[in-house]
Every structure is written in C-alpha cells, then in structure tokens.
Short mmCIF file of all heavy atoms in Angstrom, two decimals:
data_model
loop_
_atom_site.label_atom_id
_atom_site.label_comp_id
_atom_site.label_asym_id
_atom_site.label_seq_id
_atom_site.Cartn_x
_atom_site.Cartn_y
_atom_site.Cartn_z
N GLY A 8 2.44 4.36 -18.94
CA GLY A 8 2.12 3.82 -17.64
C GLY A 8 1.83 4.87 -16.59
O GLY A 8 2.26 6.02 -16.70
N LYS A 9 1.09 4.45 -15.58
CA LYS A 9 0.77 5.33 -14.45
C LYS A 9 0.88 4.50 -13.17
O LYS A 9 0.23 3.46 -13.04
CB LYS A 9 -0.64 5.89 -14.59
CG LYS A 9 -1.03 6.80 -13.45
CD LYS A 9 -2.43 7.35 -13.65
CE LYS A 9 -2.80 8.26 -12.50
NZ LYS A 9 -4.16 8.77 -12.66
N ASP A 10 1.71 4.95 -12.26
CA ASP A 10 1.93 4.25 -10.99
C ASP A 10 1.36 5.08 -9.85
O ASP A 10 1.69 6.26 -9.70
CB ASP A 10 3.44 4.06 -10.79
CG ASP A 10 3.77 3.15 -9.62
OD1 ASP A 10 2.90 2.34 -9.23
OD2 ASP A 10 4.90 3.24 -9.11
N VAL A 11 0.48 4.46 -9.08
CA VAL A 11 -0.06 5.10 -7.88
C VAL A 11 0.24 4.16 -6.72
O VAL A 11 -0.08 2.98 -6.78
CB VAL A 11 -1.58 5.36 -7.99
CG1 VAL A 11 -2.10 6.04 -6.74
CG2 VAL A 11 -1.90 6.19 -9.23
N TYR A 12 0.86 4.69 -5.68
CA TYR A 12 1.28 3.84 -4.56
C TYR A 12 1.10 4.60 -3.25
O TYR A 12 0.98 5.84 -3.24
CB TYR A 12 2.73 3.40 -4.72
CG TYR A 12 3.68 4.54 -4.93
CD1 TYR A 12 4.28 5.18 -3.85
CD2 TYR A 12 3.96 5.02 -6.21
CE1 TYR A 12 5.14 6.25 -4.03
CE2 TYR A 12 4.82 6.07 -6.41
CZ TYR A 12 5.40 6.69 -5.32
OH TYR A 12 6.25 7.75 -5.51
N LEU A 13 1.07 3.85 -2.18
CA LEU A 13 0.94 4.45 -0.86
C LEU A 13 2.32 4.74 -0.29
O LEU A 13 3.25 3.97 -0.50
CB LEU A 13 0.19 3.50 0.09
CG LEU A 13 -1.22 3.10 -0.34
CD1 LEU A 13 -1.86 2.21 0.73
CD2 LEU A 13 -2.08 4.30 -0.63
N ASP A 14 2.42 5.85 0.42
CA ASP A 14 3.68 6.14 1.08
C ASP A 14 3.64 5.54 2.49
O ASP A 14 2.61 5.02 2.94
CB ASP A 14 3.98 7.63 1.09
CG ASP A 14 2.96 8.45 1.86
OD1 ASP A 14 2.35 7.95 2.83
OD2 ASP A 14 2.77 9.63 1.50
N GLY A 15 4.76 5.60 3.17
CA GLY A 15 4.87 4.99 4.49
C GLY A 15 3.85 5.52 5.49
O GLY A 15 3.29 4.76 6.27
N ALA A 16 3.59 6.82 5.45
CA ALA A 16 2.63 7.41 6.39
C ALA A 16 1.22 6.87 6.13
O ALA A 16 0.46 6.62 7.07
CB ALA A 16 2.65 8.93 6.29
N GLU A 17 0.88 6.69 4.86
CA GLU A 17 -0.45 6.15 4.54
C GLU A 17 -0.59 4.71 5.01
O GLU A 17 -1.62 4.32 5.55
CB GLU A 17 -0.70 6.25 3.03
CG GLU A 17 -0.86 7.68 2.56
CD GLU A 17 -0.74 7.84 1.06
OE1 GLU A 17 0.14 7.19 0.45
OE2 GLU A 17 -1.52 8.64 0.49
N ILE A 18 0.46 3.93 4.83
CA ILE A 18 0.43 2.54 5.29
C ILE A 18 0.39 2.50 6.82
O ILE A 18 -0.37 1.73 7.41
CB ILE A 18 1.64 1.76 4.74
CG1 ILE A 18 1.52 1.61 3.22
CG2 ILE A 18 1.77 0.40 5.42
CD1 ILE A 18 2.74 1.04 2.53
N ASP A 19 1.19 3.36 7.45
CA ASP A 19 1.25 3.39 8.92
C ASP A 19 -0.01 3.94 9.57
O ASP A 19 -0.19 3.82 10.78
CB ASP A 19 2.46 4.19 9.39
CG ASP A 19 3.77 3.50 9.08
OD1 ASP A 19 3.76 2.27 8.80
OD2 ASP A 19 4.82 4.18 9.11
N SER A 20 -0.90 4.56 8.78
CA SER A 20 -2.13 5.09 9.36
C SER A 20 -3.09 3.97 9.77
O SER A 20 -4.06 4.20 10.49
CB SER A 20 -2.83 6.05 8.37
OG SER A 20 -3.31 5.34 7.24
N ILE A 21 -2.82 2.77 9.33
CA ILE A 21 -3.60 1.60 9.76
C ILE A 21 -2.94 1.06 11.03
O ILE A 21 -1.75 0.75 11.03
CB ILE A 21 -3.62 0.53 8.67
CG1 ILE A 21 -4.25 1.08 7.40
CG2 ILE A 21 -4.36 -0.72 9.15
CD1 ILE A 21 -4.09 0.20 6.19
N GLU A 22 -3.70 0.99 12.09
CA GLU A 22 -3.16 0.55 13.37
C GLU A 22 -3.56 -0.90 13.65
O GLU A 22 -4.66 -1.31 13.33
CB GLU A 22 -3.66 1.45 14.49
CG GLU A 22 -3.20 2.89 14.33
CD GLU A 22 -3.74 3.80 15.41
OE1 GLU A 22 -4.34 3.30 16.38
OE2 GLU A 22 -3.57 5.01 15.27
N TYR A 23 -2.65 -1.61 14.26
CA TYR A 23 -2.91 -3.00 14.66
C TYR A 23 -2.94 -3.10 16.17
O TYR A 23 -2.07 -2.56 16.85
CB TYR A 23 -1.84 -3.94 14.09
CG TYR A 23 -2.01 -5.36 14.54
CD1 TYR A 23 -3.07 -6.13 14.08
CD2 TYR A 23 -1.11 -5.93 15.44
CE1 TYR A 23 -3.23 -7.44 14.50
CE2 TYR A 23 -1.27 -7.24 15.86
CZ TYR A 23 -2.33 -7.99 15.39
OH TYR A 23 -2.50 -9.28 15.80
N ASN A 24 -3.94 -3.78 16.72
CA ASN A 24 -4.06 -3.99 18.15
C ASN A 24 -3.83 -5.46 18.44
O ASN A 24 -4.64 -6.31 18.02
CB ASN A 24 -5.45 -3.55 18.63
CG ASN A 24 -5.61 -3.65 20.12
OD1 ASN A 24 -5.29 -4.68 20.72
ND2 ASN A 24 -6.12 -2.60 20.73
N GLU A 25 -2.74 -5.76 19.11
CA GLU A 25 -2.40 -7.16 19.41
C GLU A 25 -3.43 -7.83 20.32
O GLU A 25 -3.70 -9.02 20.17
CB GLU A 25 -1.02 -7.25 20.05
CG GLU A 25 0.10 -6.99 19.09
CD GLU A 25 1.47 -7.17 19.72
OE1 GLU A 25 1.59 -7.93 20.71
OE2 GLU A 25 2.42 -6.57 19.21
N GLU A 26 -4.00 -7.07 21.25
CA GLU A 26 -4.97 -7.66 22.18
C GLU A 26 -6.23 -8.13 21.47
O GLU A 26 -6.78 -9.18 21.80
CB GLU A 26 -5.33 -6.65 23.27
CG GLU A 26 -4.19 -6.37 24.22
CD GLU A 26 -4.54 -5.34 25.27
OE1 GLU A 26 -5.75 -5.05 25.48
OE2 GLU A 26 -3.60 -4.81 25.89
N THR A 27 -6.70 -7.36 20.51
CA THR A 27 -7.93 -7.73 19.79
C THR A 27 -7.64 -8.47 18.49
O THR A 27 -8.55 -9.01 17.88
CB THR A 27 -8.77 -6.48 19.45
OG1 THR A 27 -8.00 -5.63 18.57
CG2 THR A 27 -9.16 -5.72 20.71
N ASP A 28 -6.37 -8.45 18.08
CA ASP A 28 -5.96 -9.05 16.80
C ASP A 28 -6.74 -8.46 15.63
O ASP A 28 -7.15 -9.15 14.71
CB ASP A 28 -6.10 -10.58 16.84
CG ASP A 28 -5.38 -11.26 15.69
OD1 ASP A 28 -4.38 -10.72 15.20
OD2 ASP A 28 -5.84 -12.35 15.27
N MET A 29 -6.95 -7.14 15.71
CA MET A 29 -7.72 -6.42 14.69
C MET A 29 -6.93 -5.21 14.21
O MET A 29 -6.07 -4.68 14.91
CB MET A 29 -9.07 -5.94 15.27
CG MET A 29 -9.99 -7.05 15.73
SD MET A 29 -10.66 -8.03 14.40
CE MET A 29 -11.90 -6.93 13.77
N TYR A 30 -7.27 -4.80 12.99
CA TYR A 30 -6.70 -3.59 12.39
C TYR A 30 -7.74 -2.49 12.46
O TYR A 30 -8.94 -2.74 12.32
CB TYR A 30 -6.31 -3.84 10.94
CG TYR A 30 -5.14 -4.79 10.81
CD1 TYR A 30 -5.34 -6.16 10.72
CD2 TYR A 30 -3.83 -4.30 10.80
CE1 TYR A 30 -4.27 -7.03 10.62
CE2 TYR A 30 -2.76 -5.16 10.70
CZ TYR A 30 -2.99 -6.53 10.61
OH TYR A 30 -1.92 -7.38 10.51
N TYR A 31 -7.25 -1.24 12.64
CA TYR A 31 -8.14 -0.09 12.79
C TYR A 31 -7.71 1.03 11.84
O TYR A 31 -6.52 1.31 11.70
CB TYR A 31 -8.13 0.41 14.23
CG TYR A 31 -8.66 -0.62 15.20
CD1 TYR A 31 -7.82 -1.55 15.77
CD2 TYR A 31 -10.02 -0.66 15.51
CE1 TYR A 31 -8.31 -2.52 16.64
CE2 TYR A 31 -10.52 -1.63 16.38
CZ TYR A 31 -9.65 -2.54 16.93
OH TYR A 31 -10.14 -3.50 17.78
N TYR A 32 -8.72 1.64 11.24
CA TYR A 32 -8.47 2.78 10.36
C TYR A 32 -9.73 3.64 10.30
O TYR A 32 -10.82 3.12 10.02
CB TYR A 32 -8.08 2.31 8.95
CG TYR A 32 -7.89 3.43 7.97
CD1 TYR A 32 -6.76 4.24 8.02
CD2 TYR A 32 -8.85 3.70 7.00
CE1 TYR A 32 -6.59 5.28 7.14
CE2 TYR A 32 -8.68 4.74 6.11
CZ TYR A 32 -7.55 5.53 6.18
OH TYR A 32 -7.37 6.57 5.31
N ASN A 33 -9.59 4.92 10.60
CA ASN A 33 -10.72 5.87 10.54
C ASN A 33 -11.96 5.37 11.28
O ASN A 33 -13.07 5.43 10.77
CB ASN A 33 -11.09 6.19 9.09
CG ASN A 33 -10.20 7.25 8.49
OD1 ASN A 33 -9.42 7.90 9.19
ND2 ASN A 33 -10.29 7.43 7.19
N GLY A 34 -11.76 4.83 12.47
CA GLY A 34 -12.87 4.39 13.29
C GLY A 34 -13.48 3.06 12.87
O GLY A 34 -14.47 2.63 13.45
N GLN A 35 -12.91 2.40 11.90
CA GLN A 35 -13.41 1.10 11.46
C GLN A 35 -12.42 0.02 11.88
O GLN A 35 -11.25 0.31 12.10
CB GLN A 35 -13.59 1.07 9.95
CG GLN A 35 -14.59 2.07 9.43
CD GLN A 35 -14.66 2.04 7.92
OE1 GLN A 35 -13.87 1.38 7.26
NE2 GLN A 35 -15.62 2.75 7.36
#
C-alpha cells in the first residue's frame, strides 16, 4: 500500500470568504 494525504497546512491553504461564500486558493 501507499498512502498520500494532505497535512493541516495544505488543507488550511484554502481560504473561505464568508461574504462571498467562496473558497480561494492560488488566486482561483
């Protein structure tokens, strides 16, 4: 088996904006 997973910092790099109700990552 091979397990590849995201760590907390990678997950937290996605930002959520409550005002726009959108997620942001790397300018997208």
Side-chain angles (χ1 to χ4, degrees):
K9 180 179 180 181
D10 189 23
V11 181
Y12 54 89
L13 301 183
D14 62 30
E17 291 165 319
I18 293 172
D19 291 343
S20 68
I21 300 169
E22 297 178 9
Y23 176 70
N24 184 311
E25 287 184 25
E26 291 178 17
T27 62
D28 194 29
M29 298 290 283
Y30 292 90
Y31 297 88
Y32 176 74
N33 278 349
Q35 298 177 352

